[in-house]
Amino acid sequence: MWPFVRKRPSGFSSSSTAEEVTQGIDGTGLTAIITGASSGIGIETAQVLALRGVHVVMAVRNVSSGNAVKEAIVKEIPTARIDVMELDLSSMVSVRKFASEFDALDLPLNILINNAGVLATPFSLSQDGWELQFGTNHIGHFLLTNLLLEKMKSTSRKSGIEGRIIIVSSEGHRLTYWDGIRFNKINYGAEYQRYLAYGQSKLANILHANELARRLKEEGTNVTANSLHPGLIMTSLFRHQNSIINAAFGAVAKLATKTVQQGAATTCYVAMNPEVKGVTGKFFKDSNVCTPSSQALDHELAKKLWDFSMNIIQA
């Protein structure tokens, strides 16, 4: 971890863990969906929310892996309430199927954590024909959020408890194509650059959260939407990187990276901590509000992306 750690306004820092930022918080009666909950910080997020009494729905691509994680969590926390459901964010058919099956469970929905993602993959297309990182990291989550939004609004009205939508982005949003979102060239493989494409998808995550927050606030709905950077954590997200990059990264890893427990902290903080009540349309890092890039704060770009994404999911 970084050798010099400074406490921030929230009282937490880059070294804070998910358990620390949720200490003393009772989530009994709450239900949360976490995408990508069978690996990396998704596992820790699921475990800590379950520890605090939240009924966790693990939305995972590999159900057998999800069940193994569930068994491990229940072994450690016998009172944990966890369901495992299949979700492949690269397929809108799968996203719609998940939303329909969740609705059939007749559960409330207080917290939606859009955590899953892919990083710097070789150029390929999602099952719906979109560049894989944009299709998985943004479009899949955009559709999922859209399908679950009425359930969240209904839950907040009936319970009187604020609903929270958390979209896991990255500081990588700062490294994107010069125009931010290449609306006319998203699937253009000839100019594809994997890290810029990743940055584009993470910029889309923040723009999505900001525009969603604006719309929810305008409606007077008791549901918030925020985005965040979890920190640099060596997880399976790096599986597409070559050995030279990983070797170079490993040389400074002990100083630069977070543990999984620290990496899940900001997600758990934004999802559960009472300090965040009423806060919406913000970007968090190290369990504190921070300022994203100027492109991420571009309201017109956010609206354009919203309309573009709606056209995709309604096609």
Side-chain angles (χ1 to χ4, degrees):
M1 219 4 260
W2 295 105
F4 304 105
V5 176
R6 179 170 61 89
K7 291 284 185 180
R8 304 280 300 283
S10 69
F12 301 112
S13 68
S14 59
S15 64
S16 299
T17 66
E19 287 197 27
E20 289 171 348
V21 302
T22 59
Q23 186 66 42
I25 298 173
D26 184 5
T28 303
L30 302 181
T31 300
I33 291 176
I34 306 171
T35 69
S38 61
S39 64
I41 63 174
I43 295 176
E44 182 69 10
T45 302
Q47 180 161 314
V48 170
L49 262 61
L51 178 66
R52 303 306 178 210
V54 178
H55 181 173
V56 174
V57 177
M58 297 173 57
V60 300
R61 191 161 55 91
N62 187 319
V63 174
S64 61
S65 294
N67 283 326
V69 170
K70 173 185 175 179
E71 289 176 12
I73 293 175
V74 172
K75 185 176 181 180
E76 188 167 329
I77 311 168
T79 58
R81 297 181 64 204
I82 300 177
D83 290 310
V84 177
M85 297 178 64
E86 184 176 13
L87 172 65
D88 182 350
L89 288 160
S90 70
S91 164
M92 287 193 279
V93 170
S94 176
V95 175
R96 294 184 190 280
K97 181 172 181 286
F98 171 87
S100 177
E101 290 178 348
F102 176 78
D103 189 59
L105 295 176
D106 199 28
L107 290 171
L109 181 57
N110 307 92
I111 302 167
L112 172 61
I113 300 176
N114 292 336
N115 164 78
V118 292
L119 183 155
T121 58
F123 181 77
S124 61
L125 300 179
S126 70
Q127 293 185 40
D128 303 298
W130 292 97
E131 185 275 311
L132 187 62
Q133 296 187 82
F134 186 81
T136 301
N137 297 350
H138 172 61
I139 293 300
H141 280 130
F142 184 90
L143 174 58
L144 179 68
T145 304
N146 182 267
L147 293 173
L148 296 173
L149 198 52
E150 286 306 314
K151 171 69 76 172
M152 293 201 72
K153 292 178 183 178
S154 173
T155 298
S156 69
R157 283 195 301 269
K158 293 176 181 177
S159 66
I161 299 171
E162 177 182 86
R164 297 188 183 184
I165 298 170
I166 299 93
I167 302 178
V168 178
S169 179
S170 169
E171 280 286 359
H173 80 276
R174 300 179 192 276
L175 180 65
T176 184
Y177 299 103
W178 70 269
D179 45 355
I181 308 292
R182 303 194 314 169
F183 293 102
N184 297 322
K185 290 186 175 183
I186 287 173
N187 294 338
Y188 192 40
E191 295 180 8
Y192 179 76
Q193 296 186 52
R194 61 174 66 186
Y195 288 103
L196 296 185
Y198 175 72
Q200 174 179 245
S201 72
K202 295 289 101 179
L203 172 61
N205 287 155
I206 301 176
L207 293 170
H208 174 204
N210 291 352
E211 179 63 11
L212 178 58
R214 186 189 70 78
R215 289 168 179 262
L216 291 170
K217 192 172 183 179
E218 194 173 75
E219 292 176 19
T221 304
N222 191 27
V223 178
T224 63
N226 292 290
S227 56
L228 63 90
H229 169 64
L232 191 58
I233 309 104
M234 280 299 283
T235 69
S236 60
L237 197 62
F238 287 86
R239 62 187 175 277
H240 294 289
Q241 312 320 306
N242 64 45
S243 58
I244 295 176
I245 291 175
N246 281 338
F249 182 84
V252 295
K254 289 185 179 179
L255 290 177
T257 63
K258 292 184 177 185
T259 65
V260 171
Q261 291 76 19
Q262 293 165 338
T266 304
T267 300
C268 291
Y269 174 77
V270 180
M272 296 197 70
N273 199 289
E275 292 179 356
V276 188
K277 184 176 181 181
V279 178
T280 192
K282 299 298 183 182
F283 179 65
F284 287 78
K285 176 182 176 181
D286 297 333
S287 300
N288 284 271
V289 173
C290 77
T291 304
S293 70
S294 58
Q295 286 179 321
L297 296 174
D298 187 329
H299 301 303
E300 292 305 313
L301 184 60
K303 292 177 184 177
K304 185 175 181 179
L305 176 65
W306 183 278
D307 292 339
F308 182 78
S309 304
M310 287 298 295
N311 286 334
I312 291 174
I313 68 173
Q314 292 174 348

